[in-house]
Amino acid sequence: MINDDERIALFLDYENLAIGARDGLGVAPFDFGPVADALAERGRVVARRAYADWSAFDEDRRLLARAQVELIEIPQRVGGSRKNAADIKMAVDAIELAFARGFITTFAIGTGDSDFTPLVHKLRELDKRVIGIGVQSSTSALLPPACDEFLFYDRLPGVEPGQPTRRGRTRARPQAVPIEQPTEQPTEQPTEQPTEEAAQADDGDAAQLITRTLAGLQRHADGPVLASRLKRAVLRKDPTFDEAELGFRGFGELLRHLEGEHVLQLSPGSAQGDPEVGFPEDGSEVDDAFALLVDVVRQLQALGSPPQLSGLKDQLRKRRPGFSEKRYGFNTFLSFAKAARARNLITMRWDAAANEYLLHVPD
């Protein structure tokens, strides 16, 4: 089988990314998941390396190891400045890999440091595509124009900015809060009920994974998205994905089921059994979701002030339990709201004092 997916080597100037995300976005420890998902939509990552003095990133080190990232130790010199010492080592390793592994088509360089601009130029001279990744507030203006594509970490689906963290302080990773079980009255629900609810949840999770992946592929694809390409991208995001666990005999049957639910739309592809996958053109489902958003915003603004974007999704879920913008191909609720604004259904105004968007339904 011919596989034309990009083969990507990922190099992370980790200190630059982690400190930029902590100070600029309030994200600590650095969440590698959105980066992995974005690259999975673009191709197959064959090498993952992160460079840092890991004594300063103890929790990050454990999280990256679980994500199968190779950790390259770059100790800081005693008494020296905090200038990142990973630059030269990372550049040398990237050039060495470019010559030693000719099958690698793309290099993803995670940094905001302009010192890596010569590396980007050299990789492009070697006919390699270069994807840059950086935090917007800490990325030099010289770096993005040098790359074939640049991904601002702030804009990646799944990144949830918090409050910027002061230097020298760390933010504790949120822990799951155990739910207390009732002790006075025994539960008498039949065992079939939790199983059915779990199956429905799995089905919904699969639909969100597929629609989110499809939306990502459509944003940067040169042509139609075929089912085979969609399946490969889904597996790169979640290698444990198996449509058989959801009760479907094949991926095509799952796609036809989602088409019947008006989540996707299939059309004949270039090869038999490999249809093109897209979102429904009639837009009836997404129009209904936009109508819900407008109705909720109108009701909240009638109380006296325009509602904020944060917390608005919970208000929609009170009206429609299980609501998710991912079902309609939007990776974040912000992008869903912006789509409604583009259709002139709502207006959005940035409130600097509240550090939040305020929404309003025009008269």
Side-chain angles (χ1 to χ4, degrees), residues 95-130:
I95 294 298
E96 180 183 28
L97 198 65
F99 282 102
R101 303 289 186 267
F103 58 83
I104 294 179
T105 61
T106 304
F107 281 77
I109 308 297
T111 185
D113 194 341
S114 61
D115 290 350
F116 284 98
T117 304
L119 170 63
V120 173
H121 289 159
K122 181 57 65 176
L123 289 171
R124 296 185 69 181
E125 285 181 21
L126 296 173
D127 196 27
K128 305 297 183 182
R129 184 168 182 264
V130 179

Side-chain angles (χ1 to χ4, degrees), residues 225-285:
V225 177
L226 298 177
S228 57
R229 182 181 180 187
L230 177 61
K231 174 68 178 290
R232 291 197 299 270
V234 167
L235 285 173
R236 286 193 294 265
K237 286 189 173 185
D238 182 6
T240 66
F241 175 82
D242 184 0
E243 59 273 7
E245 292 297 319
L246 304 174
F248 299 96
R249 292 170 294 182
F251 190 65
E253 185 176 342
L254 172 57
L255 293 181
R256 289 191 294 272
H257 167 73
L258 294 178
E259 183 182 36
E261 296 291 322
H262 304 290
V263 176
L264 302 175
Q265 179 173 300
L266 304 179
S267 57
S270 55
Q272 186 176 3
D274 193 10
E276 296 178 5
V277 188
F279 292 104
E281 294 181 358
D282 58 12
S284 57
E285 289 277 316

Side-chain angles (χ1 to χ4, degrees), residues 343-358:
R343 291 163 171 79
N344 297 318
L345 300 174
I346 61 171
T347 62
M348 297 175 61
R349 176 175 60 86
W350 179 257
D351 187 336
N355 195 33
E356 183 59 272
Y357 281 108
L358 301 181

Side-chain angles (χ1 to χ4, degrees), residues 154-161 290 293 308-313 316 323-326 330-343 346-350 355-359:
D154 321 43
R155 305 177 187 175
L156 293 180
V159 175
E160 299 293 342
F290 285 140
L293 173 66
Q308 296 183 354
L309 181 67
S310 61
L312 188 58
K313 184 174 179 178
L316 268 66
F323 168 85
S324 174
E325 69 281 355
K326 297 177 179 60
F330 299 99
N331 283 317
T332 64
F333 188 70
L334 174 60
S335 62
F336 174 72
K338 287 182 175 180
R341 180 183 64 181
R343 291 163 171 79
I346 61 171
T347 62
M348 297 175 61
R349 176 175 60 86
W350 179 257
N355 195 33
E356 183 59 272
Y357 281 108
L358 301 181
L359 280 65

